[in-house]
Amino acid sequence: MSAKRDMVVIGLGPAGVAAALQAWRDGLDVLAIGDEPVGGLLPAAHRLDNLPGHPTGISGRALARRLAAQVRAAGVAVERDLATAVERAGEAGFRVVTGGGRVHLARTVCIAPGTSPVPLPRGLVPDGVHVLRDVRGLERVPGSNVLVMGGGDAAIDSALSVADACMRPVVVARHATRAAARLLAEAAARGIHVRIGDADRRRDATTAIACIGREPRLELLHDLLPGGAPRDVATEVPGLFVAGDAIRGRDRFVATAMGDGQRAAVLARAYIEGSGST
Ligand SMILES: Cc1cc2nc3c(=O)[nH]c(=O)nc-3n(C[C@H](O)[C@H](O)[C@H](O)COP(=O)(O)OP(=O)(O)OC[C@H]3O[C@@H](n4cnc5c(N)ncnc54)[C@H](O)[C@@H]3O)c2cc1C
């Protein structure tokens, strides 16, 4: 077991990175644990054009690389592992257990776990089609068809990533698309159109990407917050914070997640200073 940290951050997407960097800047002894590379879901995003400060937009991959470089430059301690439990450890802290068998003590914890994709219902894609959770796992086979299941922003954005990889996206939605007009126009300009219903589903695709929705990953919170999912960064448990997509309902954006992360770190510092936590 290691010495007690001021803060352990779980999840290294935009929310977790913002929490870790703010904690570092405020002089806290912070450890960030992530089961994926720094950036979290970002590399699944084709281009972010709603993030202030990037006048021509930025690809999710490029932003993830920048976040990783910033975390490295700051010297924030990072551990690549899955946090499997967060428990109260007496009055003044928490115990974080990882799948790799590590146990960390912390005065405060920020959980920023993001979301996981809603699985495709059985029968929605033809038998034998390999279903991916998002575009990150896409094997580049130029010229091949890829089914993109869903009609929202993520589906259209993923279809653009597929097209960038010189493959042919076939977007299939159950209902009329809810995607932003600008995204639809960009897709249409590249010959990508949304097909409604199953009738037009192409049979010659070997890969499908599930974009029918995502749900919060709240499993670490079940025992700590029996009252249910938190709705704000500060929770009913002193010293425990939650940030990012996991608490944002449908408002899942990078800037929102980063703001949550920063707020978690600021509240953590205030908690440590005010509680006399040892
Ligand atoms: C296709 C697509 C396009 C998008 N386009 C845009 C866009 O244009 N503009 C925009 O603002 N947003 C966009 N988004 C949304 C944006 O990616 C998210 O809002 C953002 O990544 C949320 O950050 P987060 O840190 O809350 O979660 P995530 O980015 O999901 O990161 C959470 C991380 O925590 C890890 N984790 C979870 N549980 C544990 C655990 N127990 N232990 C260790 N690690 C754990 C996860 O594996 C993940 O790496 C897009 C999303 C998708 C899917």
Side-chain angles (χ1 to χ4, degrees):
M1 190 156 353
S2 45
K4 193 188 263 186
R5 302 264 186 181
D6 291 326
M7 189 180 202
V8 167
V9 175
I10 298 172
L12 275 166
V17 168
L21 288 173
Q22 184 66 42
W24 160 79
R25 197 176 96 143
D26 283 352
L28 302 189
D29 173 18
V30 58
L31 167 71
I33 302 172
D35 64 348
E36 292 183 328
V38 173
L41 189 57
L42 281 179
H46 177 250
R47 196 181 71 246
L48 303 114
D49 54 13
N50 59 344
L51 188 62
H54 299 276
T56 56
I58 182 168
S59 75
R61 283 185 193 284
L63 184 59
R65 280 196 299 273
R66 283 170 174 252
L67 294 185
Q70 195 172 358
V71 166
R72 263 197 312 278
V76 170
V78 170
E79 201 172 284
R80 180 79 177 267
D81 208 342
L82 175 77
T84 51
V86 179
E87 301 154 358
R88 301 296 297 268
E91 279 303 297
F94 301 87
R95 188 181 300 111
V96 179
V97 183
T98 74
R102 306 287 297 268
V103 178
H104 300 284
L105 295 179
R107 293 177 176 84
T108 66
V109 173
C110 171
I111 301 182
T115 53
S116 50
V118 174
L120 288 183
R122 278 180 167 278
L124 211 59
V125 295
D127 285 346
V129 170
H130 179 54
V131 179
L132 299 175
R133 295 158 60 89
D134 55 60
V135 295
R136 286 175 292 177
L138 188 64
E139 190 190 342
R140 193 179 166 135
V141 184
S144 62
N145 291 326
V146 176
L147 289 170
V148 180
M149 307 301 293
D153 285 351
I156 308 302
D157 186 274
S158 299
L160 290 166
S161 293
V162 171
D164 276 1
C166 303
M167 300 162 87
R168 285 198 288 268
V170 180
V171 185
V172 181
R174 274 178 295 188
H175 311 290
T177 176
R178 305 173 310 279
R182 193 203 52 72
L183 263 178
L184 288 169
E186 185 177 350
R190 298 183 65 176
I192 303 167
H193 301 281
V194 179
R195 297 154 192 251
I196 309 296
D198 288 347
D200 285 330
R201 213 193 306 146
R202 295 277 284 270
R203 302 277 157 184
D204 51 355
T206 55
T207 304
I209 303 172
C211 298
I212 61 169
R214 303 186 65 89
E215 52 199 6
R217 283 181 68 173
L218 296 173
E219 59 271 16
L220 284 177
L221 292 164
H222 290 159
D223 291 341
L224 285 163
L225 300 174
R231 294 181 183 280
D232 198 7
V233 171
T235 72
E236 67 210 57
V237 176
L240 178 70
F241 306 96
V242 188
D245 277 10
I247 56 165
R248 286 295 156 215
R250 290 191 167 274
D251 300 332
R252 295 175 183 156
F253 301 110
V254 171
T256 314
M258 289 178 168
D260 279 354
Q262 277 189 314
R263 184 166 148 75
V266 168
L267 292 173
R269 178 182 170 193
Y271 171 74
I272 290 168
E273 289 176 353
S275 70
S277 163
T278 53

Short mmCIF file of all heavy atoms in Angstrom, two decimals, residues 87-95:
data_model
loop_
_atom_site.label_atom_id
_atom_site.label_comp_id
_atom_site.label_asym_id
_atom_site.label_seq_id
_atom_site.Cartn_x
_atom_site.Cartn_y
_atom_site.Cartn_z
N GLU A 87 -13.48 2.61 -1.73
CA GLU A 87 -14.13 2.37 -0.42
C GLU A 87 -13.77 3.48 0.54
O GLU A 87 -12.70 4.09 0.43
CB GLU A 87 -13.59 1.03 0.17
CG GLU A 87 -13.84 -0.17 -0.72
CD GLU A 87 -12.81 -1.28 -0.48
OE1 GLU A 87 -11.89 -1.08 0.34
OE2 GLU A 87 -12.92 -2.32 -1.14
N ARG A 88 -14.66 3.75 1.49
CA ARG A 88 -14.31 4.68 2.57
C ARG A 88 -13.23 4.03 3.42
O ARG A 88 -13.28 2.83 3.70
CB ARG A 88 -15.52 4.96 3.46
CG ARG A 88 -16.72 5.56 2.78
CD ARG A 88 -16.42 6.95 2.21
NE ARG A 88 -16.09 7.92 3.23
CZ ARG A 88 -16.97 8.72 3.83
NH1 ARG A 88 -18.23 8.64 3.49
NH2 ARG A 88 -16.59 9.59 4.72
N ALA A 89 -12.23 4.81 3.83
CA ALA A 89 -11.16 4.29 4.69
C ALA A 89 -11.10 5.17 5.93
O ALA A 89 -10.33 6.12 6.01
CB ALA A 89 -9.83 4.30 3.96
N GLY A 90 -11.98 4.93 6.86
CA GLY A 90 -12.04 5.74 8.07
C GLY A 90 -12.65 7.10 7.77
O GLY A 90 -13.26 7.32 6.73
N GLU A 91 -12.44 8.03 8.69
CA GLU A 91 -13.07 9.34 8.59
C GLU A 91 -12.47 10.20 7.48
O GLU A 91 -13.15 10.99 6.87
CB GLU A 91 -12.91 10.09 9.93
CG GLU A 91 -13.92 9.68 10.98
CD GLU A 91 -15.37 9.87 10.49
OE1 GLU A 91 -15.74 11.03 10.24
OE2 GLU A 91 -16.09 8.88 10.34
N ALA A 92 -11.17 10.02 7.26
CA ALA A 92 -10.49 11.03 6.44
C ALA A 92 -9.94 10.48 5.14
O ALA A 92 -8.84 10.79 4.74
CB ALA A 92 -9.35 11.65 7.26
N GLY A 93 -10.71 9.67 4.47
CA GLY A 93 -10.17 9.26 3.19
C GLY A 93 -10.82 8.06 2.55
O GLY A 93 -11.87 7.57 2.98
N PHE A 94 -10.15 7.61 1.48
CA PHE A 94 -10.68 6.54 0.64
C PHE A 94 -9.56 5.54 0.32
O PHE A 94 -8.38 5.88 0.34
CB PHE A 94 -11.19 7.13 -0.69
CG PHE A 94 -12.28 8.14 -0.49
CD1 PHE A 94 -11.97 9.49 -0.27
CD2 PHE A 94 -13.61 7.76 -0.51
CE1 PHE A 94 -12.97 10.43 -0.08
CE2 PHE A 94 -14.62 8.69 -0.33
CZ PHE A 94 -14.30 10.03 -0.11
N ARG A 95 -10.01 4.35 -0.02
CA ARG A 95 -9.10 3.32 -0.50
C ARG A 95 -9.54 3.00 -1.93
O ARG A 95 -10.70 2.69 -2.18
CB ARG A 95 -9.24 2.07 0.39
CG ARG A 95 -8.22 0.99 0.11
CD ARG A 95 -8.44 -0.23 1.01
NE ARG A 95 -8.35 0.07 2.43
CZ ARG A 95 -9.37 0.05 3.29
NH1 ARG A 95 -10.57 -0.26 2.87
NH2 ARG A 95 -9.20 0.33 4.56
#
